[in-house]
Amino acid sequence: MFLGQLENHTWIVCLGNIAALFGRQRFDIYRKVPKDLTQPTYTGAIISVCCCLFILFLFLSELTGFIATEIVNELYVDDPDKDSGGKIEVNLNISLPNLHCELVGLDIQDEMGRHEVGHIDNSMKIPLNNGDGCRFEGHFSINKVPGNFHVSTHSATAQPQNPDMTHVIHKLSFGDKLQVHNVHGAFNALEGADKLSSNPLASHDYILKIVPTVYEDMSGKQRYSYQYTVANKEYVAYSHTGRIIPAIWFRYDLSPITVKYTERRQPLYRFITSICAIIGGTFTVAGILDSCIFTASEAWKKIQLGKMQ
């Protein structure tokens, strides 16, 4: 029994020695310097204030970037909206100030064999200039194949002799409307196109390259729209029978490249890392600068004392 008590006592002594070893101050890597061994200086005070202000400025900048949402874009080859049934919604708003509404019509045709003259579904004609002009507003769909739609007098009961195709395009867009202030794309590239000073008997060709566009918000919800580039020309067309009736043509083709915009926010760990880097880097540089200035100042004082002696 005595031997057992002696063994327990030995273990207690060993554990006490280990605890004392780890409790010693020599394991403190953050050594403290007594205040009476430090020397405050005016230069150090100025550097400290500037250092704190600089850290505050950088912290607020990083905080603003952390709170704000950034838009990241990428390109890939794919059809993003596979649930659309191969259709693209089109919104057209155009004014023809010198053509009567009963003469204005919309025709649609494409490489899948669609040929529709005088499309009237989801469309509206608003008389202008006391009935002398017309504003056509239409919402229709097109197939995802090359084709065209055009505003003309082809669907009129009687063709006019000299139809005036001068016009102003208020809107031409494809797909859903995106109202995102951080995305500046060509979703309505023909907005405000003014051809009122053109030859009244000229046809107008707008060649469109439609680019599928996807916008994904922070919740993962996706919206599908289309941007487009445009080139245009106007001409008076003739055939062997005489002048061809003018029209306003929108010839389109689809790009295989899809543009995707994604909302992202800076992760928390990156924000914390940046703040630590700002604080540590600023204090380190400030400490080096203060040390250099203090050393130079002390050396200058010694030189001055040497001259006096």
Side-chain angles (χ1 to χ4, degrees):
M1 184 174 181
F2 175 76
L3 292 175
Q5 291 178 351
L6 181 60
E7 184 178 356
N8 291 337
H9 176 74
T10 303
W11 276 106
I12 293 173
V13 171
C14 290
L15 292 175
N17 291 334
I18 293 173
L21 179 64
F22 281 96
R24 291 179 180 177
Q25 294 181 352
R26 65 188 182 91
F27 286 97
D28 185 6
I29 62 175
Y30 300 102
R31 303 290 181 95
K32 310 301 185 296
V33 180
K35 287 187 177 181
D36 55 353
L37 297 180
T38 60
Q39 180 181 349
T41 61
Y42 289 107
T43 305
I46 295 173
I47 292 177
S48 299
V49 172
C50 293
C51 179
C52 292
L53 292 176
F54 186 66
I55 290 175
L56 179 62
F57 169 73
L58 293 181
F59 172 77
L60 293 177
S61 299
E62 284 294 325
L63 182 62
T64 303
F66 174 70
I67 295 174
T69 302
E70 64 175 343
I71 305 296
V72 180
N73 61 77
E74 59 180 312
L75 303 176
Y76 60 92
V77 179
D78 193 12
D79 179 11
D81 192 10
K82 295 183 175 63
D83 298 329
S84 64
K87 301 287 186 180
I88 300 176
E89 298 298 320
V90 184
N91 294 284
L92 176 63
N93 190 329
I94 184 172
S95 292
L96 297 92
N98 300 311
L99 195 64
H100 294 278
C101 280
E102 60 267 17
L103 300 175
V104 177
L106 177 69
D107 309 328
I108 307 172
Q109 60 188 47
D110 60 36
E111 292 186 0
M112 290 184 66
R114 180 182 183 183
H115 191 180
E116 188 174 347
V117 179
H119 179 87
I120 59 174
D121 294 338
N122 299 317
S123 62
M124 180 171 55
K125 300 177 184 179
I126 304 172
L128 301 175
N129 302 332
N130 297 319
D132 293 333
C134 185
R135 179 167 180 157
F136 178 85
E137 299 180 6
H139 178 79
F140 54 95
S141 62
I142 58 175
N143 295 316
K144 290 183 177 180
V145 294
N148 73 80
F149 53 91
H150 52 276
V151 178
S152 67
T153 61
H154 297 163
S155 61
T157 305
Q159 292 296 320
Q161 290 295 324
N162 297 306
D164 188 338
M165 285 296 167
T166 55
H167 61 276
V168 176
I169 300 175
H170 306 290
K171 181 180 182 180
L172 177 60
S173 62
F174 300 87
D176 295 339
K177 184 178 181 181
L178 293 181
Q179 292 181 327
V180 184
H181 67 278
N182 288 334
V183 176
H184 304 286
F187 297 98
N188 190 12
L190 279 173
E191 180 181 15
D194 188 337
K195 299 296 181 180
L196 296 179
S197 59
S198 300
N199 185 345
L201 301 179
S203 291
H204 300 266
D205 263 17
Y206 294 98
I207 296 94
L208 313 177
K209 193 70 171 181
I210 301 175
V211 182
T213 304
V214 183
Y215 186 87
E216 183 177 325
D217 58 21
M218 292 290 295
S219 64
K221 180 181 178 182
Q222 293 185 340
R223 286 180 286 171
Y224 303 98
S225 187
Y226 296 85
Q227 303 181 63
Y228 62 92
T229 59
V230 58
N232 70 287
K233 63 178 180 179
E234 59 180 83
Y235 55 93
V236 178
Y238 291 91
S239 68
H240 64 279
T241 59
R243 181 171 50 81
I244 298 176
I245 297 175
I248 304 170
W249 297 82
F250 300 92
R251 307 181 192 273
Y252 62 87
D253 193 6
L254 271 76
S255 169
I257 303 297
T258 296
V259 180
K260 183 178 181 181
Y261 297 99
T262 307
E263 285 186 357
R264 291 181 183 174
R265 185 165 290 163
Q266 182 180 353
L268 180 61
Y269 73 87
R270 187 179 299 173
F271 172 70
I272 295 175
T273 303
S274 299
I275 296 303
C276 292
I278 289 171
I279 295 174
T282 304
F283 274 120
T284 300
V285 174
I288 294 173
L289 181 62
D290 179 61
S291 177
C292 292
I293 294 175
F294 180 77
T295 303
S297 176
E298 290 297 312
W300 178 253
K301 290 180 181 177
K302 291 181 180 178
I303 294 173
Q304 293 295 331
L305 289 175
K307 287 181 179 181
M308 289 181 181
Q309 293 176 356

